[in-house]
């Protein structure tokens, strides 16, 4: 029987859609999905990508037939940077690591990190006060990325990292750039080939491994006296047979958390600020909620009351999901309603496409946090909204990320009026995560209010 092929555009160029993919993968995926009414096949040079949009197709890959698929091409390049940690591994290793790691992100542990998040946000505000006093336009993205890096590095490795934090940020950024270039290259040379880029990448890995290994050895030496951190909880984790992670596996996981908890959360915060500034009526409602909650308590106590604030974050992640796409590779043949996949077929699933797909959302390009009321969220069918993944691969750090976003956003809006420069429209920057590039703003300190003063006084303690 002849295999059935998923429909796709007729591409006469010898490279297919490769040049469009390199220039703007989000627009390519979105426009082709809309033009073909859902799932679509795209040729990039000699490879066929199967972009799955329709919920039944995605469910078959991620849930019902998940054993027929492995993490795909996008994870191979990441593996060079992170090693086989929770993000890049599969099979029995992934199952074991997830079982060991998930308890470390339990809600009770995340709640103990809220004072740390507040302290990191306060350091960000102290830097931004100088920006507000100066009155000049600046890019907000590096500032919120710095906040996210501060939180994740201290939460993962402990508090005493001031001397290495800037180098970690620089090396993670350079490592991500290498991964993106490697991932999108038509011919992927392994890092062992001594090109100038690969030699710089080896320097990045050497420095990151040295820092992380030193922290791991310090925690082991301190034993019971080690500071409470995600790393200390991972050191104590045991599987059903009583086995713990060795130092090499711990390094893979720490590097994974440093990357996943840095760019994704910082980008989501920047996108939320951007969308609120473009929608002043919604911004006024969110700020009123924050001021009201902070008027009754400090920031930690106010977080459960920031319901609209949380919905604004959800809506920003709908329009600009940090994890904009991920891939799977078929390990064996699989048949769908109108097409077949052969072993080795490449599958791409894009939250960016599904979060904006016109058949799934009314006015999909409009920023509307009321889409995420409890009633509307409960009624929403699957695979319309999945910024943290789905099913067994749902991000273990989801609650930590959402808590950190509420802390950072509430403290920013309590302290400053934020103006987008010249009504700037910001472009998507889809690398490993989807970050805005840039968000040029001016800040003005708000008139002192009891709510803001109370929040910041608590932050400083």
């Amino acid at each position: 029987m002849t295999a059935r092929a998923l429909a796709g555009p007729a591409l006469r160029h010898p490279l297919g859609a490769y040049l469009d993919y390199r220039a703007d993968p989000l627009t390519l995926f979105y426009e082709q999905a809309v033009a073909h009414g859902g799932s679509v096949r795209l040729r990039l040079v000699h490879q066929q990508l199967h972009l799955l949009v329709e919920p039944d197709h995605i469910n078959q890959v991620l849930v019902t037939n998940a054993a027929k698929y492995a993490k795909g091409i996008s994870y191979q390049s990441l593996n060079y940077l992170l090693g086989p940690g929770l993000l890049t591994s599969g099979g029995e290793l992934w199952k074991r690591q997830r079982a060991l790691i998930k308890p470390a992100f339990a809600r009770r542990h995340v709640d103990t990190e809220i004072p740390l998040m507040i302290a990191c946000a306060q350091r960000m505000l102290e830097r931004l006060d100088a920006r507000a006093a100066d009155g000049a336009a600046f890019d907000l993205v590096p500032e919120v990325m710095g906040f996210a890096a501060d939180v994740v590095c201290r939460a993962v490795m402990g508090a005493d990292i001031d001397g290495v934090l800037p180098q970690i940020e620089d090396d993670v950024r350079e490592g991500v750039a290498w991964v993106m270039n490697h991932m999108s290259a038509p011919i992927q040379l392994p890092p062992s080939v001594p090109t100038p880029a690969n030699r710089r990448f080896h320097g990045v890995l050497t420095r990151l491994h040295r820092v992380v290994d030193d922290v791991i050895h310090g925690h082991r030496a301190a034993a019971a006296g080690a500071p409470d951190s995600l790393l200390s909880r991972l050191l104590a984790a045991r599987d059903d047979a009583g086995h713990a992670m060795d130092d090499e596996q711990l390094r893979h996981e720490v590097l994974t958390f440093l990357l996943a908890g840095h760019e994704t959360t910082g980008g989501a915060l920047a996108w939320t600020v951007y969308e609120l500034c473009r929608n002043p009526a919604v911004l006024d409602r969110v700020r009123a909620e924050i001021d009201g909650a902070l008027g009754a308590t400090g920031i930690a106590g106010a977080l459960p009351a920031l319901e609209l604030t949380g919905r604004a974050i959800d809506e920003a992640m709908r329009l600009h999901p940090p994890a904009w796409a991920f891939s799977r590779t078929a390990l064996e043949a699989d048949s769908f309603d109108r097409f077949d996949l052969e072993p080795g077929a490449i599958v791409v699933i894009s939250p960016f496409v599904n979060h904006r797909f016109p058949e799934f959302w009314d006015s999909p390009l409009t920023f509307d946090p009321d889409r995420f009321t409890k009633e509307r969220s409960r009624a929403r069918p699957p695979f319309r909204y999945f910024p943290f993944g789905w099913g067994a691969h749902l991000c273990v750090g989801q609650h930590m990320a959402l808590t950190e976003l509420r802390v950072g956003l509430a403290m920013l809006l309590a302290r400053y009026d934020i103006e987008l420069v010249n009504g700037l429209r910001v472009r998507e920057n889809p690398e490993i995560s989807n970050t805005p590039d840039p968000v040029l703003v001016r800040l003005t300190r708000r008139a002192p209010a009891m709510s803001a003063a109370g929040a910041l006084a608590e932050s400083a303690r």
Side-chain angles (χ1 to χ4, degrees):
M1 180 180 295
T2 302
R4 300 167 301 156
L6 186 61
L11 300 169
R12 297 182 180 275
H13 196 285
L15 299 181
Y18 176 74
L19 297 180
D20 291 333
Y21 174 81
R22 284 297 302 265
D24 187 353
L26 299 179
T27 297
L28 172 67
F29 287 172
Y30 178 77
E31 290 183 347
Q32 290 299 328
V34 171
H36 288 81
S39 301
V40 61
R41 178 172 50 87
L42 299 168
R43 180 172 65 84
L44 305 186
V45 194
H46 61 278
Q47 294 180 325
Q48 301 286 345
L49 300 188
H50 300 82
L51 175 65
L52 302 189
V53 178
E54 294 159 54
D56 288 348
H57 298 165
I58 298 176
N59 188 68
Q60 186 164 322
V61 170
L62 296 185
V63 182
T64 58
N65 286 1
K68 293 185 176 184
Y69 297 87
K71 290 180 178 178
I73 54 174
S74 57
Y75 296 93
Q76 295 167 10
S77 300
L78 263 175
N79 191 70
Y80 288 124
L81 175 62
L82 305 178
L86 189 61
L87 181 61
T88 56
S89 63
E92 291 304 314
L93 174 60
W94 174 82
K95 291 179 183 177
R96 175 179 179 271
Q97 287 304 107
R98 186 173 176 87
L100 283 168
I101 290 167
K102 188 176 179 180
F105 284 94
R107 189 175 295 266
R108 69 181 186 279
H109 290 311
V110 172
D111 288 348
T112 65
E113 303 289 1
I114 291 174
L116 168 65
M117 297 175 189
I118 293 171
C120 293
Q122 177 63 20
R123 281 191 287 274
M124 174 178 64
L125 297 186
E126 290 168 357
R127 296 191 302 269
L128 292 178
D129 279 347
R131 300 282 197 176
D134 177 77
F138 69 97
D139 183 7
L140 184 65
V141 176
E143 298 292 348
V144 294
M145 287 291 187
F147 159 66
D150 197 9
V151 171
V152 71
C153 287
R154 295 177 193 278
V156 170
M157 299 193 295
D160 189 20
I161 59 165
D162 291 306
V164 296
L165 183 57
Q167 187 64 57
I168 291 174
E169 285 191 79
D170 289 345
D171 285 334
V172 168
R173 190 179 306 111
E174 188 169 347
V176 166
W178 183 93
V179 168
M180 287 307 301
N181 287 330
H182 186 268
M183 193 182 299
S184 58
I187 300 176
Q188 296 181 338
L189 298 176
S192 57
V193 178
T195 66
N198 284 353
R199 287 196 293 268
R200 289 192 298 273
F201 181 64
H202 277 293
V204 165
L205 289 182
T206 298
R207 289 189 296 273
L208 284 174
H209 289 181
R210 182 186 304 121
V211 168
V212 172
D213 290 349
D214 286 349
V215 173
I216 291 171
H217 295 157
H219 274 62
R220 284 204 187 278
D228 182 38
S229 64
L230 176 61
L231 177 56
S232 65
R233 295 193 287 273
L234 295 182
L235 281 164
R238 299 291 185 274
D239 62 17
D240 291 341
H243 298 140
M245 285 183 245
D246 61 23
D247 284 1
E248 184 177 14
Q249 191 63 46
L250 281 165
R251 180 210 293 158
H252 300 328
E253 303 304 349
V254 169
L255 289 174
T256 296
F257 300 141
L258 294 183
L259 173 67
H262 170 198
E263 286 215 335
T264 54
T265 309
L269 181 53
W271 279 122
T272 306
V273 171
Y274 168 71
E275 288 293 349
L276 287 171
C277 289
R278 293 182 66 217
N279 294 271
V282 179
L283 174 58
D284 288 345
R285 292 170 57 202
V286 169
R287 179 169 280 142
E289 177 183 76
I290 292 169
D291 287 348
L294 296 183
T297 183
I299 186 70
L303 290 179
L306 300 182
E307 188 265 344
L308 173 59
T309 305
R311 287 194 276 120
I313 293 167
D314 290 339
E315 175 69 343
M317 289 195 297
R318 182 188 69 83
L319 285 168
H320 314 282
W324 58 277
F326 53 92
S327 61
R328 294 290 186 269
T329 299
L331 300 175
E332 55 185 274
D334 202 3
S335 293
F336 295 75
D337 55 357
R338 61 179 188 274
F339 64 97
D340 303 311
L341 294 181
E342 298 179 350
I346 298 170
V347 169
V348 175
I349 298 166
S350 174
F352 181 90
V353 172
N354 283 52
H355 289 188
R356 296 171 174 235
F357 198 59
E359 292 186 19
F360 298 163
W361 302 90
D362 294 328
S363 302
L365 303 184
T366 301
F367 181 76
D368 178 13
D370 291 339
R371 301 178 198 272
F372 289 95
T373 61
K374 290 181 180 179
E375 295 75 18
R376 293 176 70 176
S377 292
R378 279 196 295 263
R380 185 170 298 118
F383 299 112
R384 269 63 170 176
Y385 182 72
F386 51 113
F388 292 98
W390 195 271
H393 288 271
L394 188 69
C395 175
V396 295
Q398 176 179 357
H399 179 59
M400 182 169 179
L402 291 174
T403 301
E404 180 183 339
L405 285 167
R406 288 195 189 201
V407 168
L409 184 61
M411 292 179 67
L412 275 170
L413 296 184
R415 184 102 158 197
Y416 306 108
D417 287 320
I418 306 175
E419 174 195 3
L420 284 178
V421 174
N422 298 327
L424 178 75
R425 291 190 65 85
V426 172
R427 70 180 182 92
E428 316 275 341
N429 186 30
E431 295 191 339
I432 291 177
S433 61
N434 178 25
T435 56
D437 185 23
V439 179
L440 297 178
V441 298
R442 287 192 181 89
L443 300 183
T444 305
R445 282 289 298 265
R446 297 179 66 199
M450 289 303 295
S451 57
L456 300 182
E458 178 182 350
S459 304
R461 286 201 294 269

